[in-house]
Amino acid sequence: MLGIFLVLLYLYINLTRLPLPEGGGKAAGIEAIFSIYGWGAERFDSPNSVAVGPEGDIYVSDTGNHRIVVFDQDGGFKSSIGEKAADPTDQPKKGPLLLPLGLAVADDGTLYVASMERSLVLVYDAGGRLKKQISVEKPIDLTIREDELFVSTAGPIFVYSLDGEKKQEWGGKGRRLGAFEYPNGLAHDDEGHLFVSDTQNSRIQILDDQGALIGSTGEPPDSLNDADRMFGLNMGLALDDSQRVYIVDAFRHSIHVFDHEGNKLGEFGEQGELEGRLNYPSGIVYLGGEKFAVADKWNDRIQVLRVRLPETEEATVPKTESLYPYLFLALLGLLLAFLFWRRWRLAKAAARRSREATV
């Protein structure tokens, strides 16, 4: 009898459970696609920043090697600018490219490189030839919108023409709103608003096309140990086609995601050397779809990742009425009928034996 009951219980569980949602979902988080460690025998040394060109090429600021390296969309090597001297004291002889940080690529392939050590923004043509040097005090990151170049520094943000003419200066150095402390990430949304990863103030600030503050998320911490700080160390910043904001966090080895209004959608990542894990990431650029290239600095690589966000809509289950519960009830009825019949037969046999014993 116990065996029959267990069989019926198994049937009930498997026949009456709800079907799986249609389409199935993928887990939110980071999915590694491929990594770039260099090319041939050449290897990166602390790559700080990454940018994308008009044809989808990936530009890498190979900081420790004093060079810029260009790869195609699949990670194949295309070209490089600059080289590392065998003797560090000879590095100035190798040209003006010294410890490059931020990168930006114009629609015509012109490359802009921030050299904080030299207080220069270097301008190269699409063939990698040096065209111009723009003097900027301690440049950190760069971004381009239409015909303007935006340069973050230890304090203010400068706006230049693509020819290197200084046009505006926004903000200054400090903790107040509208001021900055070593901002390491710049990116524009579709409306021309500038999003600034205000690194040492542990916040994101948003400026309109005239440099006026129109929004912010986070606030300056009391110290690096402040438990209420929004970020460990917010560095590079990128926006996707849906205007969501992605920020790499060097101290948390993660990627924060916000919607366009500043609501946090998630934080993904953990420290490690395996594919998909991060070790002091410092730069990020959007490649399209769910794909991003991340400068995984202390892992000496560029990772191309897919960042999956949590589902925002509940999966639907088909609302077709199932016959399985009725089938179970029918089986249960048959079982009860069998039990009553068997009990009646046993009782009848016992009565017969009792009469035979009294004769």
PDB file of all heavy atoms in Angstrom, residues 132-159:
ATOM      1  N   LYS A 132      49.274  66.758 -33.618  1.00  0.00           N
ATOM      2  CA  LYS A 132      49.197  67.935 -32.746  1.00  0.00           C
ATOM      3  C   LYS A 132      49.389  67.514 -31.294  1.00  0.00           C
ATOM      4  O   LYS A 132      49.113  66.361 -30.915  1.00  0.00           O
ATOM      5  CB  LYS A 132      47.828  68.598 -32.925  1.00  0.00           C
ATOM      6  CG  LYS A 132      47.667  69.945 -32.206  1.00  0.00           C
ATOM      7  CD  LYS A 132      46.244  70.446 -32.357  1.00  0.00           C
ATOM      8  CE  LYS A 132      45.888  70.786 -33.788  1.00  0.00           C
ATOM      9  NZ  LYS A 132      46.508  72.066 -34.215  1.00  0.00           N
ATOM     10  N   GLN A 133      49.844  68.459 -30.487  1.00  0.00           N
ATOM     11  CA  GLN A 133      49.915  68.280 -29.042  1.00  0.00           C
ATOM     12  C   GLN A 133      49.164  69.440 -28.391  1.00  0.00           C
ATOM     13  O   GLN A 133      49.483  70.592 -28.652  1.00  0.00           O
ATOM     14  CB  GLN A 133      51.364  68.237 -28.557  1.00  0.00           C
ATOM     15  CG  GLN A 133      52.194  67.132 -29.174  1.00  0.00           C
ATOM     16  CD  GLN A 133      53.615  67.101 -28.645  1.00  0.00           C
ATOM     17  OE1 GLN A 133      53.854  67.334 -27.460  1.00  0.00           O
ATOM     18  NE2 GLN A 133      54.568  66.817 -29.523  1.00  0.00           N
ATOM     19  N   ILE A 134      48.172  69.104 -27.565  1.00  0.00           N
ATOM     20  CA  ILE A 134      47.373  70.118 -26.883  1.00  0.00           C
ATOM     21  C   ILE A 134      47.810  70.161 -25.424  1.00  0.00           C
ATOM     22  O   ILE A 134      47.754  69.142 -24.718  1.00  0.00           O
ATOM     23  CB  ILE A 134      45.865  69.799 -26.970  1.00  0.00           C
ATOM     24  CG1 ILE A 134      45.446  69.581 -28.431  1.00  0.00           C
ATOM     25  CG2 ILE A 134      45.051  70.909 -26.333  1.00  0.00           C
ATOM     26  CD1 ILE A 134      44.026  69.057 -28.577  1.00  0.00           C
ATOM     27  N   SER A 135      48.218  71.301 -24.962  1.00  0.00           N
ATOM     28  CA  SER A 135      48.671  71.437 -23.578  1.00  0.00           C
ATOM     29  C   SER A 135      47.468  71.527 -22.642  1.00  0.00           C
ATOM     30  O   SER A 135      46.661  72.453 -22.737  1.00  0.00           O
ATOM     31  CB  SER A 135      49.547  72.681 -23.432  1.00  0.00           C
ATOM     32  OG  SER A 135      49.979  72.815 -22.102  1.00  0.00           O
ATOM     33  N   VAL A 136      47.345  70.539 -21.754  1.00  0.00           N
ATOM     34  CA  VAL A 136      46.260  70.494 -20.758  1.00  0.00           C
ATOM     35  C   VAL A 136      46.871  70.016 -19.449  1.00  0.00           C
ATOM     36  O   VAL A 136      47.565  68.989 -19.421  1.00  0.00           O
ATOM     37  CB  VAL A 136      45.125  69.530 -21.178  1.00  0.00           C
ATOM     38  CG1 VAL A 136      43.992  69.574 -20.148  1.00  0.00           C
ATOM     39  CG2 VAL A 136      44.609  69.850 -22.571  1.00  0.00           C
ATOM     40  N   GLU A 137      46.612  70.725 -18.387  1.00  0.00           N
ATOM     41  CA  GLU A 137      47.202  70.369 -17.098  1.00  0.00           C
ATOM     42  C   GLU A 137      46.606  69.065 -16.576  1.00  0.00           C
ATOM     43  O   GLU A 137      45.419  68.980 -16.260  1.00  0.00           O
ATOM     44  CB  GLU A 137      46.959  71.496 -16.083  1.00  0.00           C
ATOM     45  CG  GLU A 137      47.586  71.250 -14.714  1.00  0.00           C
ATOM     46  CD  GLU A 137      49.109  71.300 -14.746  1.00  0.00           C
ATOM     47  OE1 GLU A 137      49.670  71.890 -15.696  1.00  0.00           O
ATOM     48  OE2 GLU A 137      49.738  70.748 -13.821  1.00  0.00           O
ATOM     49  N   LYS A 138      47.417  67.995 -16.527  1.00  0.00           N
ATOM     50  CA  LYS A 138      47.055  66.702 -15.952  1.00  0.00           C
ATOM     51  C   LYS A 138      45.754  66.121 -16.532  1.00  0.00           C
ATOM     52  O   LYS A 138      44.804  65.844 -15.808  1.00  0.00           O
ATOM     53  CB  LYS A 138      46.936  66.805 -14.430  1.00  0.00           C
ATOM     54  CG  LYS A 138      48.181  67.322 -13.725  1.00  0.00           C
ATOM     55  CD  LYS A 138      49.346  66.361 -13.873  1.00  0.00           C
ATOM     56  CE  LYS A 138      50.571  66.823 -13.102  1.00  0.00           C
ATOM     57  NZ  LYS A 138      51.753  65.962 -13.318  1.00  0.00           N
ATOM     58  N   PRO A 139      45.684  65.888 -17.836  1.00  0.00           N
ATOM     59  CA  PRO A 139      44.467  65.295 -18.396  1.00  0.00           C
ATOM     60  C   PRO A 139      44.308  63.843 -17.964  1.00  0.00           C
ATOM     61  O   PRO A 139      45.298  63.112 -17.821  1.00  0.00           O
ATOM     62  CB  PRO A 139      44.695  65.406 -19.902  1.00  0.00           C
ATOM     63  CG  PRO A 139      46.179  65.335 -20.060  1.00  0.00           C
ATOM     64  CD  PRO A 139      46.727  66.071 -18.862  1.00  0.00           C
ATOM     65  N   ILE A 140      43.046  63.421 -17.762  1.00  0.00           N
ATOM     66  CA  ILE A 140      42.772  62.062 -17.292  1.00  0.00           C
ATOM     67  C   ILE A 140      41.944  61.279 -18.305  1.00  0.00           C
ATOM     68  O   ILE A 140      42.359  60.234 -18.799  1.00  0.00           O
ATOM     69  CB  ILE A 140      42.053  62.086 -15.931  1.00  0.00           C
ATOM     70  CG1 ILE A 140      42.893  62.799 -14.881  1.00  0.00           C
ATOM     71  CG2 ILE A 140      41.742  60.655 -15.473  1.00  0.00           C
ATOM     72  CD1 ILE A 140      42.177  63.013 -13.561  1.00  0.00           C
ATOM     73  N   ASP A 141      40.753  61.780 -18.613  1.00  0.00           N
ATOM     74  CA  ASP A 141      39.893  61.053 -19.543  1.00  0.00           C
ATOM     75  C   ASP A 141      39.372  61.990 -20.617  1.00  0.00           C
ATOM     76  O   ASP A 141      39.353  63.225 -20.438  1.00  0.00           O
ATOM     77  CB  ASP A 141      38.727  60.389 -18.801  1.00  0.00           C
ATOM     78  CG  ASP A 141      38.058  59.319 -19.639  1.00  0.00           C
ATOM     79  OD1 ASP A 141      38.763  58.638 -20.411  1.00  0.00           O
ATOM     80  OD2 ASP A 141      36.825  59.144 -19.546  1.00  0.00           O
ATOM     81  N   LEU A 142      38.929  61.391 -21.734  1.00  0.00           N
ATOM     82  CA  LEU A 142      38.484  62.150 -22.893  1.00  0.00           C
ATOM     83  C   LEU A 142      37.183  61.561 -23.439  1.00  0.00           C
ATOM     84  O   LEU A 142      36.938  60.355 -23.335  1.00  0.00           O
ATOM     85  CB  LEU A 142      39.535  62.084 -24.014  1.00  0.00           C
ATOM     86  CG  LEU A 142      40.995  62.374 -23.668  1.00  0.00           C
ATOM     87  CD1 LEU A 142      41.871  62.073 -24.878  1.00  0.00           C
ATOM     88  CD2 LEU A 142      41.156  63.818 -23.219  1.00  0.00           C
ATOM     89  N   THR A 143      36.377  62.407 -24.033  1.00  0.00           N
ATOM     90  CA  THR A 143      35.246  61.945 -24.824  1.00  0.00           C
ATOM     91  C   THR A 143      34.950  62.994 -25.891  1.00  0.00           C
ATOM     92  O   THR A 143      35.303  64.168 -25.734  1.00  0.00           O
ATOM     93  CB  THR A 143      34.010  61.669 -23.952  1.00  0.00           C
ATOM     94  OG1 THR A 143      33.032  60.960 -24.718  1.00  0.00           O
ATOM     95  CG2 THR A 143      33.381  62.959 -23.430  1.00  0.00           C
ATOM     96  N   ILE A 144      34.315  62.552 -26.960  1.00  0.00           N
ATOM     97  CA  ILE A 144      34.000  63.434 -28.082  1.00  0.00           C
ATOM     98  C   ILE A 144      32.499  63.447 -28.293  1.00  0.00           C
ATOM     99  O   ILE A 144      31.839  62.406 -28.231  1.00  0.00           O
ATOM    100  CB  ILE A 144      34.702  62.962 -29.372  1.00  0.00           C
ATOM    101  CG1 ILE A 144      36.218  63.137 -29.243  1.00  0.00           C
ATOM    102  CG2 ILE A 144      34.180  63.717 -30.592  1.00  0.00           C
ATOM    103  CD1 ILE A 144      36.989  62.517 -30.398  1.00  0.00           C
ATOM    104  N   ARG A 145      31.964  64.651 -28.545  1.00  0.00           N
ATOM    105  CA  ARG A 145      30.576  64.785 -28.972  1.00  0.00           C
ATOM    106  C   ARG A 145      30.543  65.759 -30.137  1.00  0.00           C
ATOM    107  O   ARG A 145      30.952  66.914 -29.995  1.00  0.00           O
ATOM    108  CB  ARG A 145      29.674  65.278 -27.838  1.00  0.00           C
ATOM    109  CG  ARG A 145      28.220  65.418 -28.298  1.00  0.00           C
ATOM    110  CD  ARG A 145      27.305  65.821 -27.166  1.00  0.00           C
ATOM    111  NE  ARG A 145      25.942  65.940 -27.654  1.00  0.00           N
ATOM    112  CZ  ARG A 145      25.399  67.070 -28.118  1.00  0.00           C
ATOM    113  NH1 ARG A 145      26.120  68.169 -28.145  1.00  0.00           N
ATOM    114  NH2 ARG A 145      24.157  67.093 -28.554  1.00  0.00           N
ATOM    115  N   GLU A 146      30.098  65.256 -31.263  1.00  0.00           N
ATOM    116  CA  GLU A 146      30.048  66.054 -32.493  1.00  0.00           C
ATOM    117  C   GLU A 146      31.423  66.655 -32.786  1.00  0.00           C
ATOM    118  O   GLU A 146      32.375  65.928 -33.028  1.00  0.00           O
ATOM    119  CB  GLU A 146      28.940  67.102 -32.384  1.00  0.00           C
ATOM    120  CG  GLU A 146      27.548  66.468 -32.251  1.00  0.00           C
ATOM    121  CD  GLU A 146      26.439  67.487 -32.116  1.00  0.00           C
ATOM    122  OE1 GLU A 146      26.738  68.683 -31.953  1.00  0.00           O
ATOM    123  OE2 GLU A 146      25.265  67.073 -32.168  1.00  0.00           O
ATOM    124  N   ASP A 147      31.572  67.975 -32.714  1.00  0.00           N
ATOM    125  CA  ASP A 147      32.854  68.593 -33.070  1.00  0.00           C
ATOM    126  C   ASP A 147      33.602  69.125 -31.850  1.00  0.00           C
ATOM    127  O   ASP A 147      34.423  70.030 -31.966  1.00  0.00           O
ATOM    128  CB  ASP A 147      32.636  69.725 -34.073  1.00  0.00           C
ATOM    129  CG  ASP A 147      31.717  70.826 -33.526  1.00  0.00           C
ATOM    130  OD1 ASP A 147      31.119  70.612 -32.441  1.00  0.00           O
ATOM    131  OD2 ASP A 147      31.604  71.883 -34.174  1.00  0.00           O
ATOM    132  N   GLU A 148      33.335  68.545 -30.677  1.00  0.00           N
ATOM    133  CA  GLU A 148      33.989  69.024 -29.452  1.00  0.00           C
ATOM    134  C   GLU A 148      34.652  67.869 -28.704  1.00  0.00           C
ATOM    135  O   GLU A 148      34.134  66.755 -28.655  1.00  0.00           O
ATOM    136  CB  GLU A 148      32.980  69.723 -28.540  1.00  0.00           C
ATOM    137  CG  GLU A 148      32.460  71.041 -29.117  1.00  0.00           C
ATOM    138  CD  GLU A 148      31.495  71.741 -28.183  1.00  0.00           C
ATOM    139  OE1 GLU A 148      30.710  71.040 -27.485  1.00  0.00           O
ATOM    140  OE2 GLU A 148      31.507  72.982 -28.140  1.00  0.00           O
ATOM    141  N   LEU A 149      35.795  68.191 -28.094  1.00  0.00           N
ATOM    142  CA  LEU A 149      36.552  67.259 -27.276  1.00  0.00           C
ATOM    143  C   LEU A 149      36.439  67.691 -25.815  1.00  0.00           C
ATOM    144  O   LEU A 149      36.714  68.846 -25.481  1.00  0.00           O
ATOM    145  CB  LEU A 149      38.024  67.262 -27.699  1.00  0.00           C
ATOM    146  CG  LEU A 149      38.985  66.451 -26.826  1.00  0.00           C
ATOM    147  CD1 LEU A 149      38.731  64.955 -26.996  1.00  0.00           C
ATOM    148  CD2 LEU A 149      40.445  66.797 -27.179  1.00  0.00           C
ATOM    149  N   PHE A 150      36.044  66.758 -24.951  1.00  0.00           N
ATOM    150  CA  PHE A 150      35.892  67.029 -23.521  1.00  0.00           C
ATOM    151  C   PHE A 150      37.025  66.319 -22.781  1.00  0.00           C
ATOM    152  O   PHE A 150      37.283  65.126 -23.004  1.00  0.00           O
ATOM    153  CB  PHE A 150      34.539  66.540 -23.028  1.00  0.00           C
ATOM    154  CG  PHE A 150      33.377  67.261 -23.666  1.00  0.00           C
ATOM    155  CD1 PHE A 150      32.976  66.947 -24.961  1.00  0.00           C
ATOM    156  CD2 PHE A 150      32.696  68.259 -22.990  1.00  0.00           C
ATOM    157  CE1 PHE A 150      31.913  67.622 -25.563  1.00  0.00           C
ATOM    158  CE2 PHE A 150      31.644  68.931 -23.574  1.00  0.00           C
ATOM    159  CZ  PHE A 150      31.254  68.612 -24.873  1.00  0.00           C
ATOM    160  N   VAL A 151      37.684  67.065 -21.892  1.00  0.00           N
ATOM    161  CA  VAL A 151      38.877  66.574 -21.202  1.00  0.00           C
ATOM    162  C   VAL A 151      38.686  66.744 -19.700  1.00  0.00           C
ATOM    163  O   VAL A 151      38.501  67.869 -19.212  1.00  0.00           O
ATOM    164  CB  VAL A 151      40.141  67.342 -21.648  1.00  0.00           C
ATOM    165  CG1 VAL A 151      41.379  66.748 -20.989  1.00  0.00           C
ATOM    166  CG2 VAL A 151      40.271  67.338 -23.162  1.00  0.00           C
ATOM    167  N   SER A 152      38.736  65.633 -18.953  1.00  0.00           N
ATOM    168  CA  SER A 152      38.713  65.744 -17.493  1.00  0.00           C
ATOM    169  C   SER A 152      40.139  65.852 -16.972  1.00  0.00           C
ATOM    170  O   SER A 152      41.082  65.316 -17.553  1.00  0.00           O
ATOM    171  CB  SER A 152      38.014  64.536 -16.859  1.00  0.00           C
ATOM    172  OG  SER A 152      38.795  63.361 -17.000  1.00  0.00           O
ATOM    173  N   THR A 153      40.286  66.596 -15.869  1.00  0.00           N
ATOM    174  CA  THR A 153      41.586  66.786 -15.239  1.00  0.00           C
ATOM    175  C   THR A 153      41.417  66.509 -13.747  1.00  0.00           C
ATOM    176  O   THR A 153      40.382  66.018 -13.303  1.00  0.00           O
ATOM    177  CB  THR A 153      42.097  68.216 -15.472  1.00  0.00           C
ATOM    178  OG1 THR A 153      41.263  69.138 -14.748  1.00  0.00           O
ATOM    179  CG2 THR A 153      42.085  68.576 -16.954  1.00  0.00           C
ATOM    180  N   ALA A 154      42.428  66.872 -12.967  1.00  0.00           N
ATOM    181  CA  ALA A 154      42.309  66.696 -11.524  1.00  0.00           C
ATOM    182  C   ALA A 154      41.167  67.518 -10.944  1.00  0.00           C
ATOM    183  O   ALA A 154      40.635  67.196  -9.882  1.00  0.00           O
ATOM    184  CB  ALA A 154      43.622  67.080 -10.846  1.00  0.00           C
ATOM    185  N   GLY A 155      40.792  68.578 -11.631  1.00  0.00           N
ATOM    186  CA  GLY A 155      39.692  69.419 -11.173  1.00  0.00           C
ATOM    187  C   GLY A 155      38.715  69.701 -12.290  1.00  0.00           C
ATOM    188  O   GLY A 155      37.799  68.923 -12.543  1.00  0.00           O
ATOM    189  N   PRO A 156      38.873  70.823 -13.008  1.00  0.00           N
ATOM    190  CA  PRO A 156      37.873  71.215 -14.005  1.00  0.00           C
ATOM    191  C   PRO A 156      37.844  70.294 -15.219  1.00  0.00           C
ATOM    192  O   PRO A 156      38.769  69.524 -15.479  1.00  0.00           O
ATOM    193  CB  PRO A 156      38.315  72.632 -14.407  1.00  0.00           C
ATOM    194  CG  PRO A 156      39.769  72.677 -14.097  1.00  0.00           C
ATOM    195  CD  PRO A 156      39.961  71.815 -12.887  1.00  0.00           C
ATOM    196  N   ILE A 157      36.738  70.418 -15.954  1.00  0.00           N
ATOM    197  CA  ILE A 157      36.584  69.755 -17.242  1.00  0.00           C
ATOM    198  C   ILE A 157      36.708  70.824 -18.322  1.00  0.00           C
ATOM    199  O   ILE A 157      36.057  71.873 -18.251  1.00  0.00           O
ATOM    200  CB  ILE A 157      35.233  69.035 -17.328  1.00  0.00           C
ATOM    201  CG1 ILE A 157      35.217  67.869 -16.331  1.00  0.00           C
ATOM    202  CG2 ILE A 157      34.961  68.534 -18.749  1.00  0.00           C
ATOM    203  CD1 ILE A 157      33.867  67.215 -16.180  1.00  0.00           C
ATOM    204  N   PHE A 158      37.546  70.554 -19.326  1.00  0.00           N
ATOM    205  CA  PHE A 158      37.773  71.509 -20.401  1.00  0.00           C
ATOM    206  C   PHE A 158      37.082  71.029 -21.668  1.00  0.00           C
ATOM    207  O   PHE A 158      37.001  69.831 -21.939  1.00  0.00           O
ATOM    208  CB  PHE A 158      39.268  71.682 -20.664  1.00  0.00           C
ATOM    209  CG  PHE A 158      40.019  72.325 -19.521  1.00  0.00           C
ATOM    210  CD1 PHE A 158      40.710  71.554 -18.602  1.00  0.00           C
ATOM    211  CD2 PHE A 158      40.019  73.706 -19.382  1.00  0.00           C
ATOM    212  CE1 PHE A 158      41.397  72.152 -17.555  1.00  0.00           C
ATOM    213  CE2 PHE A 158      40.703  74.317 -18.327  1.00  0.00           C
ATOM    214  CZ  PHE A 158      41.393  73.536 -17.419  1.00  0.00           C
ATOM    215  N   VAL A 159      36.613  71.996 -22.442  1.00  0.00           N
ATOM    216  CA  VAL A 159      35.998  71.720 -23.738  1.00  0.00           C
ATOM    217  C   VAL A 159      36.868  72.359 -24.812  1.00  0.00           C
ATOM    218  O   VAL A 159      37.171  73.557 -24.749  1.00  0.00           O
ATOM    219  CB  VAL A 159      34.564  72.272 -23.822  1.00  0.00           C
ATOM    220  CG1 VAL A 159      33.922  71.862 -25.142  1.00  0.00           C
ATOM    221  CG2 VAL A 159      33.722  71.790 -22.641  1.00  0.00           C
TER     222      VAL A 159
END
